[in-house]
Amino acid sequence: MDRLVRVAACAGASALFALLAVMAVVLVDAATPALRILRLDASWDQAGTLGSAVLPSLVGTAFSAGLALVVAVPLALGVALFVTEFAPEAASRRAAIVLEVMGAIPTLVFGMWGLVVLLPWLGSTTVEAGGVGALVTAGGGVVPAGLVLAAMLVPSLSNNARKMIAAVPTSLREAAIAVGATRWEVVRHVVLPHVRSGLAGAVILGLGRSVGEAMAVVLIIGNRPFVPSSVPSTTMATELLTGLRPNLPELHASSLALLALCLLIITVVVRGVGRRLVRLSSTPGGAA
Amino acid sequence: MRQTANGFGARTRLRGAVSTAFRLSTTLVAVAVGALFLWVLVTVGWRGVLALSSSDLAAAGVVHGAASGLADAVIGSVIVVALAFTVAVPVGLVAGVFIAEVGRNSRWLGAVRFMADVLSGVPAVVAGVFVYFALGGSAGGQGLLPGALALAVLMMPMLACTTSRTLERLSPSLREAGWALGAPPWRSLIQVSMRAAAPGILSAGLLAVARVAGQVAPLLLVMPAGTEAAASPGAMMPTLHVEAYRLLMTSDPQAPSLAWTAALLLTAAITVVVWLAGRLGHLDGEEG
């Protein structure tokens, strides 16, 4: 019986390895036609849509995810500090569940909100008339996409930051207060240095999420896979979402698989680095 | 902090002012973020209810371009999420047990934990693309089972992470007490550790369900019921996820308002699940 439990647990653990391995193999296999062309001929254009989609989608991904972080990090930090430092006891106890609920709102809902509230507000054409389909290929761009991503990131980011800040030893805070530090000075000189590396990790995890998010973005970014002469208006994730259909030409499907493979590699690496940092800060003695 | 007779008052006042400014700005940020989320929820609630009140859920979808009524979509969503849960739970649970109990002294522990972390960051859209290609692309890559598998891919590592974290949080003396009574490790694991951790694991499981249930992208790729892509209608159920997106895209002027209803139903269901998870137990799992 003991053996059985042990074998089952090992099987479950190896299933995780198998999952990532199978994922990589399947995507590499599906991407082979596109990869072959890449190797034989330097021209991306031969891969059909790949040539016109990959570069803009890379730029679009980098830009929207970057903007999302720039906007979301200060907001999340503000929320986390408010909850841990100033909020009334009762509110701060409920913060976890409120942030959890906020973080579980489907990303599609953020996209829809962006579509009917943010876009008109930013001066794009109104959505209501003429069907949304028209707008999805016309309006938006990478800036509203980044803002919607930021809104999506804030709950999880502030929840992680909140936990880290709450884990700062009380004795450290008290020591600072005892030598006459104000609230701000405690935060600036004790709390923030203590959570720095963990916070960096949480931000990187957020980066991973916004790079891979398709649903919140696809509604408002515009989905024009042009080489970005002006503003890129597609990301890798939305390219996959809108591009993959049955009965595609082989090369087209294969370039999409390649795109998915790139996205998988990027998110795995980003996630790995982020986790390292978060863990580093949460193990006792590991916080530097 | 020099306390010269001249400098003291001005300097203290400055420090106090900075601290007050800090307090005000975090409060402002927290209020702004709260308002933003209220705005998102009110938008989806208001628009969703408006459409809800003016139409018969079971019939309205058929008229305005949905595959069938929204009532069918509710059933479809429940079925696909439940199926994904059934596939993901055994693997996720057992892998979590490996990390927290069986593999505690294994040299693979770090690797398994890392794998679970990294896998829970795989973008939803990539999971969809993976399942699509893994099951043979347009031939067999779409339908109810692929949809459930894609969601299960996302759910599995989350469950592994949360299960292991809940088990690790148990006091070691509990496990030792089981051993001291002469129970073999498996009995102690199942009758002591797992039983003590059950509420935590359940609430973590609910949270994983809620998070994954909000993912629209994979279902849009592998279960696009009602689009011309739907090759095998028998296996292709409508889901709230897909309907919300598709209704938004159709040219029927009435359809987008129903999309809000679909989004509202989805959000409400997820909120209830998260709230339940919060009632049940700890909401401490960190998630990026």
Side-chain angles (χ1 to χ4, degrees):
Chain A
M1 194 65 194
D2 245 344
R3 217 201 180 101
L4 193 70
V5 169
R6 181 164 284 273
V7 167
C10 290
S14 28
L16 293 181
F17 287 96
L19 183 59
L20 188 62
V22 169
M23 222 184 268
V25 167
V26 164
L27 289 180
V28 167
D29 179 54
T32 308
L35 278 171
R36 195 166 291 140
I37 278 183
L38 280 183
R39 222 177 305 131
L40 291 178
D41 191 332
S43 161
W44 284 80
D45 288 334
Q46 295 216 357
T49 47
L50 186 64
S52 57
V54 143
L55 191 62
S57 74
L58 270 174
V59 176
T61 303
F63 195 95
S64 58
L67 177 66
L69 282 187
V70 167
V71 175
V73 169
L75 291 181
L77 203 56
V79 171
L81 284 172
F82 173 76
V83 168
T84 49
E85 307 288 325
F86 301 121
E89 184 70 27
S92 138
R93 250 186 294 115
R94 293 216 173 78
I97 190 160
V98 170
L99 288 173
E100 207 64 69
V101 168
M102 277 160 46
I105 296 175
T107 49
L108 174 68
V109 170
F110 284 106
M112 290 168 81
W113 177 81
L115 196 62
V116 299
V117 176
L118 195 63
L119 279 189
W121 193 61
L122 286 175
S124 305
T125 38
T126 337
V127 193
E128 305 300 333
V132 181
L135 187 107
V136 172
T137 50
V142 89
V143 173
L147 293 178
V148 167
L149 280 178
M152 180 199 90
L153 279 185
V154 165
S156 66
L157 209 52
S158 37
N159 208 11
N160 279 348
R162 179 190 66 80
K163 271 174 237 154
M164 286 169 198
I165 292 172
V168 173
T170 321
S171 55
L172 282 183
R173 289 165 181 278
E174 283 169 353
I177 293 168
V179 294
T182 61
R183 234 15 187 299
W184 161 245
E185 285 160 351
V186 172
V187 168
R188 170 73 187 77
H189 296 292
V190 176
V191 174
L192 288 184
H194 199 267
V195 298
R196 201 176 41 200
S197 72
L199 221 48
V203 170
I204 291 175
L205 291 183
L207 177 68
R209 270 193 70 194
S210 48
V211 163
E213 178 54 43
M215 233 35 240
V217 177
V218 72
L219 287 175
I220 50 175
I221 197 166
N223 302 307
R224 280 162 306 185
F226 306 141
V227 179
S229 52
S230 53
V231 198
S233 102
T234 178
T235 70
M236 300 170 81
T238 60
E239 201 58 43
L240 287 172
L241 193 63
T242 53
L244 194 65
R245 289 180 303 275
N247 310 321
L248 284 178
E250 193 199 4
L251 212 49
H252 190 163
S254 146
S255 7
L256 287 172
L258 183 59
L259 207 56
L261 186 65
C262 294
L263 195 53
L264 179 67
I265 293 171
I266 291 174
T267 46
V268 163
V269 169
V270 163
R271 183 91 182 171
V273 172
R275 264 302 153 192
R276 267 249 119 86
L277 287 173
V278 169
R279 180 139 298 146
L280 205 71
S281 73
S282 62
T283 42
Chain B
M1 276 159 241
R2 281 169 292 122
Q3 301 192 2
T4 54
N6 282 339
F8 186 73
R11 206 187 147 91
T12 308
R13 232 174 295 134
L14 181 66
R15 289 172 59 217
V18 168
S19 207
T20 311
F22 166 62
R23 180 185 191 136
L24 279 179
S25 55
T26 57
T27 312
L28 213 63
V29 166
V31 168
V33 167
L36 175 74
F37 276 82
L38 221 56
W39 193 359
V40 172
L41 287 177
V42 165
T43 306
V44 72
W46 178 59
R47 284 170 183 260
V49 168
L50 271 191
L52 194 69
S53 58
S54 69
S55 56
D56 170 19
L57 264 192
V62 189
V63 179
H64 296 297
S68 51
L70 278 186
D72 285 354
V74 172
I75 298 169
S77 283
V78 169
I79 288 180
V80 74
V81 172
L83 206 55
F85 190 63
T86 346
V87 175
V89 157
V91 181
L93 208 64
V94 155
V97 167
F98 179 90
I99 295 174
E101 298 270 342
V102 176
R104 248 176 315 136
N105 302 314
S106 158
R107 64 198 150 107
W108 292 100
L109 177 63
V112 175
R113 196 197 289 271
F114 185 74
M115 197 53 66
D117 277 345
V118 161
L119 275 173
S120 46
V122 166
V125 70
V126 172
V129 174
F130 156 66
V131 168
Y132 178 82
F133 281 112
L135 298 183
S138 40
Q142 295 190 318
L144 174 61
L145 197 64
L149 279 180
L151 293 187
V153 165
L154 297 170
M155 224 182 262
M156 238 180 261
M158 275 186 201
L159 286 171
C161 287
T162 44
T163 304
S164 68
R165 232 173 265 135
T166 315
L167 281 174
E168 277 165 352
R169 220 177 290 128
L170 291 182
S171 123
S173 57
L174 208 60
R175 194 187 302 128
E176 285 156 12
W179 292 343
L181 288 173
W186 70 269
R187 190 175 275 272
S188 160
L189 170 70
I190 290 170
Q191 295 197 330
V192 179
S193 300
M194 290 300 262
R195 185 168 291 183
I201 291 177
L202 193 60
S203 103
L206 285 178
L207 220 51
V209 168
R211 286 222 184 87
V212 172
Q215 297 293 356
V216 178
L219 292 182
L220 213 50
L221 286 177
V222 297
M223 231 178 126
T227 58
E228 70 267 69
S232 49
M236 206 78 86
M237 296 188 155
T239 54
L240 281 177
H241 307 69
V242 175
E243 292 305 275
Y245 183 75
R246 263 174 26 75
L247 285 167
L248 215 52
M249 295 297 160
T250 50
S251 45
D252 186 332
Q254 287 280 298
S257 64
L258 267 177
W260 286 97
T261 309
L264 172 65
L265 290 175
L266 196 58
T267 312
I270 286 170
T271 308
V272 168
V273 173
V274 174
W275 179 79
L276 259 176
R279 287 300 299 262
L280 262 173
H282 344 260
L283 280 182
D284 288 335
E286 32 176 92
E287 181 52 43

